[in-house]
Structure formats: C-alpha cells, structure tokens
C-alpha cells in the first residue's frame, strides 16, 4: 500500500494556501541536492535547509485556501514558516531525518518517494528533454560523438546524462535502505521464514541482477571514468577557432548559464569530470556499502528465523519453558550460574563478516632473485615488532609462577593484595581469575575462587570485584 505508515497523508503539505510555497521549497532543495548546484561530498545541515526554504518562501506567492479567504499569515517571520515547512515534510514522509552515530550530526535528505515525486515538479519548468537510459555509457557515447562531429547538442546530452548518474545512485541507495526496513518490519510482524526468504530472492532476481549488477559491472562509473577523461582531454586540445564556435552556440542554447568571464564549454567539461569523480569516490562506495549491509541484514534475519523455526519444538526450548514455570526458579538459576561461571561465549563481529568470494590462486614466481640485505629501517621495524609481540606474550607458566609468588607461604590471598610491581604483574593479575576459574571447572587446578561480594580499586583499575584465591592442598 502507498498510503501507509508515515505516508498515510503524503500529499497533505501540497494542500491549503501554502501549497505553492511548499512546492517551491521542494524544488529549490532538490536543485541543491541533485543538480549542478549540489555538493555531493557533504550533507546539508538544518540551518542550511532553513535558509533554502526562506529563500523559496520569498519567491512563491501565498494562495487563497479553503479557510474563507483569510489572508492573515499565522507566522511571525520567514524562519518560523520555514521551520513549519521542514517539520511538515518530515512528518508526512517527503524528507527523512538521519543521525550519524559517529559525529552526532543530523542530515535531512529526501526520502525515496519524496525524491521521485519532487523530480516531476522540478522538470515541469525545465525546457530540457530528459530520457531514461544507462547514463554512464550515454555520457561517454555523447562525448565521443561531440568530439568527432562537433555537434554541441551532443555535449549538452552528455552534461545532462552525467547529472543523472549521481541521482540514480542516490535512488538505488534509498531503495536498498527501504528494502532493508521492509524486511525488518516483515520479521517484526511474525511472518513466515519462507515468505521473508522469497521476498529477498525476488528482489535479488528482479532488481539486482538486471539493474544493480549492470551498474556495478558493465555500466560502472569506474570502468568508463578513464575513457570519459580521455575524450574530454581530446576535446580540450581542439583548435581555438572550433572551440570559439562551440562556445558561441552554447551561449545561444543555454543563456541562463552564461556568466561574464567564464567559458560555458569549459564549465560543462569540468562539471562532467567532477560528477564522474564524485560518483566514483562518494556514491559508488556508498552503494556497495548499502548493498553489503542489505545482504548482511537479510542473511542474519533468514538464519535467525530458520533457527527459531527448527528449534521451536526442540529440547532447549522445552527446558527454558519448564524453567520459567518452576517455583524454585531463583535457586535453579543461581545453581546454573555457578556451573556456568567458567563458560566463555564469543560472538562474530558483523562488521567483519563479508560476502563469499571466489578465491584466486596466487601466481608462483619461480625466478631466482639475488639475496638483498635488509635496510636499517626495515630491520629496526622488524625488531620493534618482535619486542611488541613479546611484551604481551603471556602463558600459563608465567601465570603459575606469579600466583605462587603472590601466595608465598600462605594458603589464601585476596585480589586486593595481589602484587603489582611491573607491567607483567598487571597482565598476570588481569588473567588470574580466568585461569583459576577454568581450572576449577575442569578440576585440574589446586586453587579455589571465592567471591566476597565487595568492590575494590587500585592505581590501575577504577573498580574490580574482590575475591579470594585459596590452595586446595597443603603443598
């Protein structure tokens, strides 16, 4: 359904007496984000968007609404009205609020539906003809046609195709994010694992293979970037008379872009190069990260649902159910905690998980090379690395010697009283409890661990649990 969630009243900002002003705000923001005026390396902040909206509000007129023709404005100034427009677009799904967890900065990009519906509003007042094709290859083909025939319309086509390259990347990234959210919502609605799996593979077959795979391979901007650069260099090396003719024709066809003291031909060529660079360095890595995050999320959800489906009738689930209904639940959990005190659980880091790729065998170099002595800097670097590795090398024998020295002639010592003479003692103290607990669980150690329930501290640890290490036998 289209009218669902935050899009239930999607077109409400375009109604009422402020509708023309809202449309102008959308047009101006779209131009700052996706046209030649955009800076794709950074996102617009809240204050910048409010300034854009204030500029748009001064351009557009206020229309008569359905409120009896009341011409009195309910806003004291342009900033207050711009803030109202921003909140309305966020509330009804035209814009999205994204917070960077690393820098805590907030960005307000278009939602996928908002961008798709704003684009026709921008193109209504445009005299340029837009087509939908493979924009990267079309840019290269149009530039080659311009370089060989000298028809300025080919250069204009290449300039327009390059403008849509970044917009297409943004649209695909937004679609992947929306697909990921839809997949999570389907799981939260407790749908069947088969349905979630079918949705994922349906998207990969119908959207990824025919479109995304082509953009990442045959239509890749990295593949055609060098070819486009060579064609642009060839155009710039043309004779001055021909470039003067091109400049004159471009100024006749695009008078709105003419500025005093600036070449329109050079502007279009520089803009195409800049868009290709930003598409390669900014948007293409962002698309790959978004696709990788989508596939990771789908894989994790499908695996989780499959595990829950398979274990729904298993013995572990029955045991947990009986434990939850047991009258002595607290005592049982306490005993279970004592038995699992030495249990260690290690989880994979999702950020380190990558898609499976076919490994290629490394070529074997059979040539005999002369023995070249290492340079002084290389030997120093190897020596420092060995010393760093040995500094943190700590085995069970060293830990046993440390505990023996700590106990001395006694049979019990507190963690508060463990000696800390150097860095090796600090490492041994941090591993003492782990070694004793594992040995206690396996029955191979002569130490027992007893927690006091109190908290201690020293010069190196702000807070640590106090416990006693005690010998089992007299020797």
């Amino acid at each position: 359904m289209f009218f669902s969630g935050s899009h239930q009243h999607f077109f409400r900002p375009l109604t009422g007496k402020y509708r023309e002003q809202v449309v102008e705000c959308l047009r101006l923001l779209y131009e700052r984000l996706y046209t030649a005026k955009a800076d794709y390396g950074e996102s617009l902040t809240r204050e910048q968007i409010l300034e854009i909206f204030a500029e748009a509000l001064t351009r557009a007129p206020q229309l008569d609404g359905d409120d009896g023709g009341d011409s009195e404005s309910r806003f004291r100034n342009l900033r207050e009205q711009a803030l109202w427009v921003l909140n309305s677009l966020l509330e009804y799904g035209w814009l999205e609020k994204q917070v960077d967890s690393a820098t805590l900065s907030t960005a307000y990009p278009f939602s996928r539906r908002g961008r798709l519906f704003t684009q026709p509003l921008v193109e209504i007042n445009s005299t340029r003809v837009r087509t939908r094709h493979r924009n990267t290859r079309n840019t290269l083909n149009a530039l080659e046609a311009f370089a060989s025939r000298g028809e300025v319309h080919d250069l204009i086509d290449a300039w327009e195709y390059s403008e849509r390259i970044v917009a297409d990347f943004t649209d695909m990234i937004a679609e992947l994010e929306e697909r990921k959210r839809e997949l999570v919502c389907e799981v939260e609605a407790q749908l069947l694992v088969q349905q979630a799996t079918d949705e994922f593979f349906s998207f990969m077959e119908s959207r990824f293979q025919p479109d995304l795979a082509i953009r990442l391979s045959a239509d890749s901007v990295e593949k055609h970037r060098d070819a486009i650069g060579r064609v642009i260099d060839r155009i710039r090396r043309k004779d001055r008379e021909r470039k003067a003719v091109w400049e004159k024709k471009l100024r006749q066809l695009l008078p709105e872009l003419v500025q005093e003291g600036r070449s329109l031909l050079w502007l279009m060529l520089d803009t195409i190069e800049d868009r290709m660079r930003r598409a390669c360095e900014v948007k293409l890595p962002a698309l790959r990260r978004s696709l990788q995050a989508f596939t990771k999320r789908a894989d994790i959800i499908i695996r989780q649902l499959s595990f829950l489906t398979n274990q729904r009738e298993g013995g572990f689930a029955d045991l947990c159910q009986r434990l939850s209904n047991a009258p002595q639940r607290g005592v049982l959990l306490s005993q279970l905690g004592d038995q699992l005190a030495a249990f260690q659980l290690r989880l994979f880091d999702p950020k380190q998980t990558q898609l499976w790729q076919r490994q290629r065998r490394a070529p074997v170099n059979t040539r005999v090379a002369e023995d070249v002595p290492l340079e002084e800097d290389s030997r120093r670097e190897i020596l420092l690395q060995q010393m760093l590795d040995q500094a943190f090398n700590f085995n069970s024998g060293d830990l046993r010697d440390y505990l023996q020295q700590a106990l001395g002639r006694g049979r019990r010592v507190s963690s508060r009283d463990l000696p800390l003479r150097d860095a090796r003692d600090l490492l041994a103290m941090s591993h003492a409890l782990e070694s004793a607990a594992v040995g206690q669980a396996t029955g191979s150690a002569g130490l027992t661990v007893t927690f006091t329930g109190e908290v201690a501290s020293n010069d190196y640890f702000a807070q640590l649990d106090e416990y006693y290490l005690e010998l089992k036998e007299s020797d």
Side-chain angles (χ1 to χ4, degrees):
M1 294 179 60
F2 180 85
F3 297 98
S4 61
S6 60
H7 306 92
Q8 187 173 1
H9 303 285
F10 183 74
F11 296 102
R12 180 168 293 180
L14 304 184
T15 61
K17 61 183 180 180
Y18 303 105
R19 55 188 179 271
E20 186 63 29
Q21 294 179 325
V22 174
V23 169
E24 188 63 24
C25 291
L26 290 172
R27 288 174 181 168
L28 197 57
L29 180 60
Y30 186 94
E31 291 178 358
R32 289 292 302 274
L33 290 177
Y34 302 112
T35 62
K37 302 178 182 179
D39 185 4
Y40 304 109
E42 62 179 4
S43 301
L44 295 178
T45 61
R46 183 172 180 269
E47 292 298 324
Q48 290 175 324
I49 293 179
L50 291 179
E51 292 177 2
I52 294 172
F53 285 178
E55 179 182 353
L57 292 173
T58 58
R59 297 182 182 180
Q62 178 179 320
L63 304 179
D64 294 334
D66 300 330
D67 49 3
D70 183 15
S71 61
E72 294 294 330
S73 176
R74 58 191 181 97
F75 305 106
R76 292 174 294 182
N77 49 48
L78 286 178
R79 180 178 176 82
E80 185 176 349
Q81 187 176 1
L83 183 60
W84 172 81
V85 173
L86 176 60
N87 293 333
S88 299
L89 296 177
L90 288 172
E91 180 181 0
Y92 298 113
W94 288 81
L95 302 180
E96 294 178 345
K97 183 179 181 180
Q98 297 180 357
V99 180
D100 190 353
S101 58
T103 61
L104 298 180
S105 60
T106 305
Y108 299 88
F110 274 96
S111 64
R112 179 170 174 267
R113 297 183 184 183
R115 197 189 73 83
L116 291 176
F117 280 92
T118 305
Q119 184 175 358
L121 299 176
V122 176
E123 295 178 352
I124 287 177
N125 295 333
S126 177
T127 57
R128 294 175 293 177
V129 178
R130 293 180 177 268
T131 56
R132 288 297 178 188
H133 295 290
R134 301 295 184 189
N135 295 318
T136 305
R137 282 176 288 181
N138 284 350
T139 302
L140 176 59
N141 296 335
L143 283 174
E144 290 179 343
F146 173 70
S148 60
R149 296 181 302 186
E151 179 61 43
V152 293
H153 290 90
D154 294 329
L155 178 60
I156 296 175
D157 291 339
W159 188 60
E160 293 181 347
Y161 291 141
S162 66
E163 178 181 332
R164 294 200 292 268
I165 291 175
V166 179
D168 290 343
F169 275 119
T170 304
D171 189 22
M172 287 185 290
I173 294 172
E175 183 178 358
L176 287 173
E177 294 295 330
E178 183 177 357
R179 288 281 183 176
K180 185 170 64 174
R181 290 193 295 266
E182 289 178 356
L183 187 62
V184 175
C185 293
E186 290 174 358
V187 175
E188 291 178 353
Q190 298 180 357
L191 297 181
L192 298 178
V193 60
Q194 185 63 36
Q195 183 173 351
T197 307
D198 293 342
E199 290 288 339
F200 171 71
F201 286 107
S202 175
F203 170 78
M204 297 299 289
E205 293 176 359
S206 62
R207 188 74 174 93
F208 175 77
Q209 291 182 357
D211 194 358
L212 287 177
I214 295 177
R215 295 185 185 276
L216 296 176
S217 58
D219 197 50
S220 175
V221 290
E222 292 179 340
K223 180 180 179 181
H224 300 292
R225 180 183 180 182
D226 294 337
I228 291 176
R230 289 192 295 268
V231 177
I232 292 177
D233 292 338
R234 196 170 68 203
I235 294 173
R236 287 172 173 167
R237 289 194 300 267
K238 297 291 183 179
D239 55 88
R240 293 185 178 180
E241 292 77 9
R242 185 176 299 182
K243 288 187 289 188
V245 174
W246 293 341
E247 181 72 24
K248 182 178 180 180
K249 291 183 179 179
L250 287 174
R251 289 176 177 268
Q252 293 176 355
L253 294 174
L254 303 173
E256 67 276 5
L257 299 179
V258 176
Q259 292 186 8
E260 188 66 27
R262 186 177 67 175
S263 171
L264 190 55
L265 174 62
W266 246 242
L267 170 66
M268 300 182 74
L269 295 178
D270 292 341
T271 302
I272 293 175
E273 281 188 331
D274 183 67
R275 288 170 180 170
M276 294 300 299
R277 180 181 62 83
R278 293 181 183 274
C280 291
E281 298 177 0
V282 179
K283 288 300 180 180
L284 186 58
L287 175 61
R288 289 172 176 168
R289 290 193 299 268
S290 181
L291 179 61
Q292 187 178 11
F294 171 73
T295 53
K296 283 183 181 180
R297 179 65 59 86
D299 179 69
I300 293 173
I301 289 176
I302 293 174
R303 287 177 182 271
Q304 181 181 5
L305 291 177
S306 301
F307 176 78
L308 294 177
T309 303
N310 296 331
Q311 298 293 330
R312 186 171 298 173
E313 303 297 334
F316 183 76
D318 295 339
L319 179 61
C320 293
Q321 185 66 28
R322 287 183 302 179
L323 183 62
S324 63
N325 299 329
Q328 302 288 334
R329 182 172 56 185
V331 178
L332 293 176
L333 289 176
S334 179
Q335 296 177 357
L336 184 62
D338 295 337
Q339 296 176 4
L340 296 178
F343 179 75
Q344 296 181 353
L345 177 63
R346 297 181 178 180
L347 302 176
F348 288 101
D349 187 1
K351 294 184 179 179
Q352 302 299 327
T353 306
Q354 298 182 356
L355 297 176
W356 288 101
Q357 296 180 356
R358 182 176 297 176
Q359 297 182 354
R360 297 181 179 179
R361 294 183 178 180
V364 179
N365 188 4
T366 59
R367 293 180 299 177
V368 178
E370 297 181 358
D371 187 12
V372 180
L374 293 176
E375 297 181 357
E376 185 66 23
D377 295 339
S378 300
R379 287 188 295 175
R380 185 183 299 107
E381 183 178 355
I382 294 175
L383 180 59
L384 290 176
Q385 186 64 37
Q386 291 178 353
M387 295 178 64
L388 288 176
D389 295 339
Q390 294 176 1
F392 295 96
N393 186 14
F394 202 80
N395 53 34
S396 58
D398 297 334
L399 182 59
R400 191 183 305 111
D401 296 339
Y402 172 76
L403 293 177
Q404 184 177 3
Q405 295 177 3
L407 290 171
R409 297 183 180 180
R411 294 177 52 85
R412 188 175 72 169
V413 64
S414 173
S415 61
R416 187 193 300 267
D417 300 329
L418 289 175
L420 294 175
R421 296 179 296 270
D422 51 19
R424 304 289 295 177
D425 290 348
L426 183 62
L427 290 175
M429 177 187 177
S430 62
H431 290 80
L433 177 60
E434 177 185 354
S435 176
V438 173
Q440 180 178 346
T442 57
S444 60
L447 289 174
T448 59
V449 180
T450 305
F451 285 95
T452 63
E454 298 182 0
V455 178
S457 63
N458 53 29
D459 295 338
Y460 303 97
F461 294 96
Q463 184 176 352
L464 56 91
D465 296 330
E466 184 179 5
Y467 53 89
Y468 288 104
L469 298 174
E470 185 175 1
L471 286 173
K472 288 183 179 179
E473 301 174 356
S474 59
D475 55 350

